[in-house]
Amino acid sequence: MAEVALKGVTKKFGSTVAVDDVTLTVEDGAFVVLLGPTGAGKTTMLRLISGLERPDAGDIVISGRSVIGETPAQRDVAMVFQQYSLYPHMSVRDNLAFPLRSPILRTPEDEIKRKIAEVAEVLHISHKLDNKATALSGGEMQRVSIGRALVRDPAIYLMDEPLSSLDAKLRADLRIELKRIQASLGATLLYVTHDQIEAMTMATHIGVLDEGKLVQFGAPRDIYENPVSLYVADRLGLPRINRLPADLFAGAPSGAKTIGLRPEHIQQGDGKPAKVVRVEHLGDQTRLHLDLDGHAVVTLSDAHTPLEPGDTLAIQPRNALYFDAAGARIA
Amino acid sequence: MSGYSVTEPSSTQKWVAGVLVIGYALITLMPLLWILATGFKSSADSIAYPPKVTFQPTLEGYVNLFTTQTRQTPEYLDAHPPQTWYEEIVHDKGMVIAGPSRFGERFMNSVIIGFGSTFLSVFLGTLAAYAFSRYRIPLKDDLLFFILSTRMMPPIAVAIPIFLMFRNLGLSDTHTGMILLYTAVNLSLSVWLLKGFIDEIPREYEEAALIDGYTRFQAFTKVVLPQAATGIAATAIFCLIFAWNEYAFAVLLTSGTAQTAPPFIPTIIGNGGQDWPAVAAGATLFLLPVMVFTILLRKHLLRGITFGAVRK
Ligand SMILES: Nc1ncnc2c1ncn2[C@@H]1O[C@H](COP(=O)(O)OP(=O)(O)O)[C@@H](O)[C@H]1O
Ligand SMILES: [Mg+2]
């Protein structure tokens, strides 16, 4: 395992700037999650590191050496693709063995056998090893794809939304499983996703991407509590942060245009009256949809709340986040 | 039940479908059955009227196809009794075998030229299609259009320039010449068909192989080729069928050494009366290679023939 650093990396496709002057260090043993919506440049970033794309500017350093001139094979990275990475003409076993049989590794067959058994065990696919890759469910395919990376011992694992095609239950299981595997191997892992839960639960560091730019990088808790902009604040937290005009409540710092209110920033019982529009019982959460002077506000409440649509509830901000007209955080 | 029902067909439906398919097959296969049967008839049976459906089968047609014969006096025939079953067939007609006919050679020419040009068309076509599919090539669309345009007129339209060119280059009546010619004609089809198939293979497969430590060429042979097998098989069959059946250029450019079976088979008719059993025997044998080749590649073909439409 090794440290991977991007230094001022830019990649353009025609007039689209897919990755815009990104500087980022993935420390040895870190689990870094890049979070951003579709089109933010997540896939491009992984392709740049793996050598499938060449940057227009900047440098990429793996274990202290610049890899710009190296082929993907020389860079010693393993990658799990968003889709399509199992070879349909091979069995599951051969798919897993494929990286080990490469001319660079040339692993002896008995060791291949041992490694495959090990990885298959961890990913619960031992009973599927002799299936054709096409005779698997979506979840199994994705686990085999992850397995194909895990059989190797590369400088860094790159994973491109590996769980996005799975159902919720499997996603939750694999999230925990992946985190456990990474921790036990001490692996360096760069994982991209648009799913904030994956980011919050697995990452040691989160990087937030906005149209190719890395807008914030830090520990999950830190990014959640101290977002640098409204964009970043929007990426984390369920229900999403509420945006209200800053002048709705007294006490906004000068220059503030928007107040960002997470559920925990909303104190119930005092302040301005808001009308309850809807009460959603999600099981683990109970969400209150409120109407505050014509602005929609969503917050959480007790599971056994007596509130019903039509009731009135007084609310006021507590330690809220303030943003200027451009969306940058000011307090 | 609607025409788009997704339920199992009822047994009546299966029956009706079965009868229709068998009936249709009988009608379309009739000429083939007739050729097959005629090959085993005697000369007299082959021209009998009304046509004979049941007859005493004989290998006379096949013996005539593979041998040349001369008539001999009864004394000579008595002095030289037949040694083998085929000599006996000929002997009974008052003839002796003078030597092998040219059919075997011509047939081999067809095999060499047909399969040789098919191999070359598919080999070159696969490489070109891969390059067109995967690399940024200047003027790519124009080049592809140019390649397609070589098939926009019937090849025989350029027969005269090709004839002259072949004569000047010493390619007339050579295997090399015919292989090159058929490859040139088939290549545009091959490039276009295969490009379609290769375009359908996601690049991520090769990219995964590159990251896993393989070279681009290894990714091509280990990942792209196996997945393009369907397309390669379908393309090979199209190429073989064209090269195997081609008649016009074969007549024009070959006469001896490299003559293929199509121009040769009709000449059998002239050899001492109208020997329909021998012609039918030749036609039967001529049909076999394409049939066997197609059957061997059948499992790829079904998916291939839909041009990738149902690959998923
Ligand atoms: N090969 C390419 N050619 C042209 N544009 C591309 C290419 N790859 C990515 N892009 C563009 O770059 C931007 C970032 O894409 P991508 O990295 O795939 O985003 P993400 O993975 O975050 O959804 C998008 O606007 C996308 O359209
Ligand atoms: Mg992507």
Side-chain angles (χ1 to χ4, degrees):
Chain A
M1 289 297 140
E3 186 180 278
V4 173
L6 279 72
K7 297 179 180 168
V9 171
T10 297
K11 176 70 191 177
K12 295 185 188 125
F13 293 106
S15 58
T16 318
V17 186
V19 171
D20 192 355
D21 192 19
V22 168
T23 298
L24 163 79
T25 301
V26 182
E27 279 165 26
D28 190 7
F31 193 134
V32 173
V33 174
L34 291 176
L35 185 65
T38 303
K42 304 182 297 295
T43 298
T44 307
M45 204 109 127
L46 297 189
R47 294 173 59 88
L48 284 164
I49 297 171
S50 63
L52 296 174
E53 304 282 356
R54 283 182 77 91
D56 296 313
D59 196 8
I60 296 168
V61 178
I62 298 180
S63 325
R65 72 177 197 283
S66 169
V67 294
I68 292 297
E70 294 187 0
T71 63
Q74 291 166 331
R75 294 188 186 195
D76 188 27
V77 302
M79 180 150 157
V80 179
F81 287 74
Q82 205 164 349
Q83 47 181 341
Y84 291 134
S85 59
L86 291 193
Y87 303 125
H89 60 286
M90 292 181 192
S91 68
V92 170
R93 187 187 300 281
D94 287 337
N95 263 287
L96 289 171
F98 193 75
L100 298 174
R101 293 190 177 131
S102 79
I104 289 202
L105 292 183
R106 289 191 191 288
T107 318
E109 284 298 320
D110 53 335
E111 198 184 326
I112 291 180
K113 208 163 180 169
R114 195 178 52 73
K115 280 222 157 154
I116 290 178
E118 214 176 278
V119 167
E121 178 77 39
V122 170
L123 294 171
H124 308 292
I125 42 174
S126 304
H127 57 300
K128 299 281 181 178
L129 282 178
D130 295 307
N131 280 31
K132 266 204 99 131
T134 44
L136 296 179
S137 71
E140 288 161 348
M141 282 193 197
Q142 208 54 25
R143 274 178 285 163
V144 178
S145 306
I146 295 171
R148 256 200 17 202
L150 293 182
V151 292
R152 289 179 52 193
D153 182 22
I156 184 171
Y157 294 103
L158 306 171
M159 299 196 180
D160 192 357
E161 310 200 26
L163 308 185
S164 62
S165 59
L166 307 182
D167 63 59
K169 161 95 172 66
L170 201 57
R171 206 153 56 205
D173 290 350
L174 273 180
R175 240 172 18 226
I176 296 166
E177 202 56 33
L178 257 183
K179 179 67 191 165
R180 195 186 61 72
I181 294 167
Q182 182 265 340
S184 73
L185 293 176
T188 311
L189 210 155
L190 181 58
Y191 184 106
V192 309
T193 183
H194 63 259
D195 182 322
Q196 52 165 303
I197 297 182
E198 289 176 16
M200 288 303 284
T201 53
M202 296 190 289
T204 55
H205 301 81
I206 290 179
V208 181
L209 285 176
D210 180 14
E211 293 182 347
K213 287 200 246 321
L214 183 66
V215 289
Q216 193 170 2
F217 186 79
R221 198 71 233 161
D222 195 39
I223 293 192
Y224 179 82
E225 285 170 1
N226 287 305
V228 297
S229 66
L230 205 44
Y231 175 86
V232 175
D234 245 352
R235 305 262 75 80
L236 295 177
L238 272 177
R240 277 167 71 160
I241 193 163
N242 295 287
R243 302 165 171 226
L244 295 171
D247 53 15
L248 210 57
F249 294 99
S254 70
K257 177 83 191 318
T258 311
I259 319 180
L261 287 178
R262 295 197 191 278
E264 65 270 28
H265 297 143
I266 297 174
Q267 190 178 352
Q268 299 175 12
D270 276 322
K272 285 195 161 216
K275 211 168 86 194
V276 177
V277 181
R278 200 151 26 107
V279 181
E280 280 181 332
H281 295 280
L282 299 181
D284 59 333
Q285 290 185 347
T286 298
R287 290 187 184 178
L288 291 179
H289 293 252
L290 307 173
D291 180 280
L292 180 69
D293 289 359
H295 302 282
V297 173
V298 183
T299 188
L300 295 176
S301 113
D302 197 69
H304 304 288
T305 178
L307 288 169
E308 281 180 24
D311 290 354
T312 303
L313 174 69
I315 56 168
Q316 66 179 8
R318 183 181 57 192
N319 305 327
L321 306 173
Y322 293 91
F323 302 92
D324 67 12
R329 171 95 178 279
I330 50 175
Chain B
M1 212 176 271
S2 85
Y4 289 95
S5 161
V6 289
T7 55
E8 272 285 292
S10 70
S11 61
T12 338
Q13 281 175 320
K14 281 185 184 167
W15 260 98
V16 173
V19 169
L20 283 177
V21 167
I22 291 170
Y24 178 73
L26 276 179
I27 292 169
T28 51
L29 290 177
M30 205 55 215
L32 288 178
L33 285 176
W34 199 252
I35 289 173
L36 189 68
T38 304
F40 293 100
K41 285 180 179 177
S42 65
S43 281
D45 283 349
S46 74
I47 50 171
Y49 193 86
K52 288 196 169 178
V53 176
T54 55
F55 54 90
Q56 179 71 38
T58 161
L59 283 171
E60 197 184 309
Y62 285 87
V63 173
N64 292 351
L65 178 66
F66 279 101
T67 58
T68 56
Q69 301 156 12
T70 46
R71 186 161 291 286
Q72 281 296 352
T73 56
E75 297 77 36
Y76 179 89
L77 290 172
D78 285 344
H80 299 82
Q83 308 289 318
T84 61
W85 61 268
Y86 49 89
E87 282 179 19
E88 192 174 317
I89 289 174
V90 178
H91 202 265
D92 293 348
K93 295 189 299 175
M95 316 263 268
V96 292
I97 290 174
S101 76
R102 297 211 171 271
F103 181 77
E105 270 170 44
R106 302 306 192 238
F107 191 84
M108 274 318 292
N109 286 343
S110 267
V111 169
I112 293 166
I113 292 168
F115 284 89
S117 74
T118 298
F119 173 79
L120 210 56
S121 305
V122 172
F123 178 76
L124 296 175
T126 307
L127 294 183
Y130 181 74
F132 276 122
S133 175
R134 293 296 196 256
Y135 290 95
R136 235 174 281 142
I137 296 172
L139 299 179
K140 181 192 279 191
D141 291 345
D142 302 282
L143 281 171
L144 277 169
F145 181 78
F146 168 73
I147 290 173
L148 184 66
S149 72
T150 60
R151 275 310 286 270
M152 287 185 180
M153 61 188 163
I156 202 69
V158 288
I160 293 171
I162 286 180
F163 179 77
L164 296 173
M165 203 170 17
F166 266 46
R167 209 177 48 188
N168 287 335
L169 293 173
L171 289 172
S172 298
D173 205 15
T174 62
H175 292 106
T176 318
M178 295 313 284
I179 289 176
L180 286 177
L181 179 66
Y182 290 164
T183 303
V185 173
N186 272 333
L187 206 49
S188 66
L189 174 82
S190 160
V191 170
W192 272 80
L193 275 183
L194 286 165
K195 178 172 179 293
F197 283 105
I198 292 176
D199 281 346
E200 291 244 321
I201 303 172
R203 285 160 186 259
E204 281 88 345
Y205 286 135
E206 288 149 82
E207 292 176 340
L210 292 184
I211 293 176
D212 283 341
Y214 290 84
T215 64
R216 195 167 251 288
F217 184 71
Q218 287 166 330
F220 174 71
T221 55
K222 285 181 191 292
V223 177
V224 178
L225 282 188
Q227 292 193 67
T230 296
I232 290 174
T235 308
I237 288 172
F238 284 123
C239 290
L240 181 69
I241 288 174
F242 169 81
W244 190 256
N245 293 343
E246 207 284 328
Y247 178 76
F249 278 115
V251 168
L252 188 71
L253 298 174
T254 66
S255 51
T257 340
Q259 191 183 44
T260 52
F264 177 76
I265 291 176
T267 66
I268 304 168
I269 301 178
N271 294 351
Q274 309 215 321
D275 194 353
W276 294 115
V279 174
T284 305
L285 293 179
F286 182 70
L287 287 171
L288 278 180
V290 176
M291 225 168 78
V292 171
F293 190 64
T294 310
I295 289 170
L296 285 179
L297 298 184
R298 181 176 79 245
K299 77 175 159 101
H300 296 297
L301 199 59
L302 243 186
R303 293 193 311 160
I305 228 84
T306 59
F307 301 105
V310 291
R311 281 184 72 236
K312 300 285 138 55

